[in-house]
Amino acid sequence: MHRPILTSASRPLTFTVQARNERGETEATSIAGEHPLTLYVDKREIVTLMTLGGAPEALAIGYLRNQRLIDRLEDIKSVQVDWEANAVAVVTRTGLKDADRKMGKRTVTTGCGQGTVFGELMEEIDKAVLPADTLLGEADFFALLEAVRMRETVYKQAGAVHGCALCKAAEILMFVEDVGRHNAVDAIAGQMWLDRIDGGDKVFYTTGRLTSEMVIKCAQMRIPILVSRSGLTQMGYEIARKVGLTMIGRATGKHYLLFTGEQRFKKAVTGDK
């Protein structure tokens, strides 16, 4: 199966600096990395992303996938990251899909780390079809929240980042952190393409709020269940209802709010739904 030629150019996720505490003492402190990464496709500049730098190749692929600029992994020949130039160069076989028209139409979003969505993503959400038979039991749901809580993360060490996870029931298959939650989503989308992972029976977890863009990207990956420890926006809620996505917010410990798609959620009591 086709796989693009890739560099493996992860950056250090944290850096140590000196800070002075409330007692006037100097202490070594971990801070999150942040690097500009300009994406070029066939020598054409597309966007500059501010990223932690942990998975730059997957980030570039996932960005192109989620912006609907490339339809298939097979259309990508290579992804080469050069941190001396703070750039990632993508070479395609057939060029970008309708790039001039899509890149000429932008919607400003609430997403940190990106800020715009190209083209007609809002309109294309009507084409999303999510599996109806994927179920998440409450026991697995609570176990998933605990697995995320126990995971050693950049956030615990340094703060200043968002985390996203691709899961199957209570198992974390993939976990990515970045300075913007949408970067973390795109990196997972790119790695799913590279690993040929289908989203139809998966759960997506994010530490960030559930905005319209987060819901759209989840639906594009065919992931039917979206979970966040944070809240949601009105447009995110409306789009989730429209496409039939199961959306759970304010999920911490044993607390959660099930907003949409309750048919996929099995409560762990007598008379399960």
Side-chain angles (χ1 to χ4, degrees), residues 134-139 141-142 225 246 248 256 258 260-268 272-273:
T134 299
L135 299 177
L136 176 64
E138 190 176 55
F141 174 70
F142 288 146
I225 303 173
T246 298
I248 306 171
Y256 63 87
L258 176 58
T260 62
E262 68 176 68
Q263 72 277 7
R264 293 193 186 89
F265 192 77
K266 295 187 65 178
K267 193 167 176 58
D272 283 351
K273 294 182 179 180

Side-chain angles (χ1 to χ4, degrees), residues 4 17 37 57 60 64 66 76 82 98 113 146 160 177 180 233 253 256 268:
V17 299
L37 183 67
E57 296 83 9
L64 295 172
N66 280 337
I76 300 175
D82 180 356
D98 205 8
E146 180 65 11
E177 290 176 292
T233 67
Y256 63 87

Side-chain angles (χ1 to χ4, degrees), residues 3-129:
R3 187 180 177 90
I5 299 170
L6 303 173
T7 52
S8 182
S10 174
R11 294 281 284 168
L13 303 183
T14 62
F15 297 82
T16 301
V17 299
Q18 298 299 313
R20 195 174 299 277
N21 65 25
E22 70 280 1
R23 296 182 297 275
E25 302 164 340
T26 299
E27 59 182 64
T29 303
S30 294
I31 62 172
E34 183 181 18
H35 312 279
L37 183 67
T38 301
L39 171 61
Y40 295 88
V41 179
D42 299 328
K43 300 184 179 180
R44 175 177 181 169
E45 182 175 338
I46 303 299
V47 69
T48 297
L49 303 170
M50 301 304 298
T51 177
L52 195 64
E57 296 83 9
L59 171 59
I61 293 171
Y63 182 86
L64 295 172
R65 175 187 182 182
N66 280 337
Q67 299 296 340
R68 296 292 194 187
L69 293 171
I70 289 182
D71 286 333
R72 306 180 310 147
L73 183 65
E74 288 77 9
D75 294 332
I76 300 175
K77 292 178 65 176
S78 64
V79 181
Q80 305 288 302
V81 174
D82 180 356
W83 283 115
E84 290 189 3
N86 288 324
V88 52
V90 176
V91 178
T92 71
R93 299 182 186 279
T94 58
L96 294 180
K97 177 186 174 184
D98 205 8
D100 289 333
R101 181 173 61 84
K102 288 191 172 184
M103 293 169 60
K105 180 181 179 182
R106 297 171 183 245
T107 302
V108 177
T109 74
T110 57
C112 49
Q114 289 185 9
T116 62
V117 181
F118 286 139
E120 300 168 347
L121 295 187
M122 301 295 279
E123 293 88 341
E124 289 184 4
I125 194 64
D126 290 331
K127 302 175 184 177
V129 178

Side-chain angles (χ1 to χ4, degrees), residues 101-262:
R101 181 173 61 84
K102 288 191 172 184
M103 293 169 60
K105 180 181 179 182
R106 297 171 183 245
T107 302
V108 177
T109 74
T110 57
C112 49
Q114 289 185 9
T116 62
V117 181
F118 286 139
E120 300 168 347
L121 295 187
M122 301 295 279
E123 293 88 341
E124 289 184 4
I125 194 64
D126 290 331
K127 302 175 184 177
V129 178
L130 299 177
D133 56 353
T134 299
L135 299 177
L136 176 64
E138 190 176 55
D140 282 339
F141 174 70
F142 288 146
L144 171 58
L145 296 184
E146 180 65 11
V148 171
R149 187 184 72 84
M150 295 298 294
R151 192 177 187 91
E152 289 300 320
T153 62
V154 174
Y155 180 82
K156 289 180 180 178
Q157 185 179 358
V161 298
H162 283 291
C164 292
L166 180 71
C167 314
K168 186 168 184 179
E171 180 185 3
I172 298 175
L173 304 178
M174 201 180 301
F175 187 88
V176 174
E177 290 176 292
D178 212 319
V179 292
R181 66 188 185 280
H182 293 291
N183 285 351
V185 179
D186 286 347
I188 287 178
Q191 197 62 50
M192 287 174 68
W193 251 10
L194 289 169
D195 294 343
R196 310 287 175 171
I197 296 174
D198 180 70
D201 59 346
K202 306 300 189 298
V203 178
F204 197 92
Y205 173 89
T206 177
T207 59
R209 60 194 180 275
L210 301 178
T211 64
S212 57
E213 190 177 3
M214 288 292 292
V215 173
I216 289 170
K217 288 186 176 184
C218 195
Q220 285 176 335
M221 294 185 283
R222 294 190 68 252
I223 299 174
I225 303 173
L226 176 59
V227 179
S228 174
R229 72 180 185 194
S230 188
L232 65 156
T233 67
Q234 180 267 340
M235 185 172 285
Y237 172 77
E238 292 297 337
I239 295 174
R241 288 184 61 193
K242 184 176 185 179
V243 301
L245 183 141
T246 298
M247 186 161 63
I248 306 171
R250 301 291 187 183
T252 57
K254 297 295 184 180
H255 174 72
Y256 63 87
L257 292 172
L258 176 58
F259 289 97
T260 62
E262 68 176 68

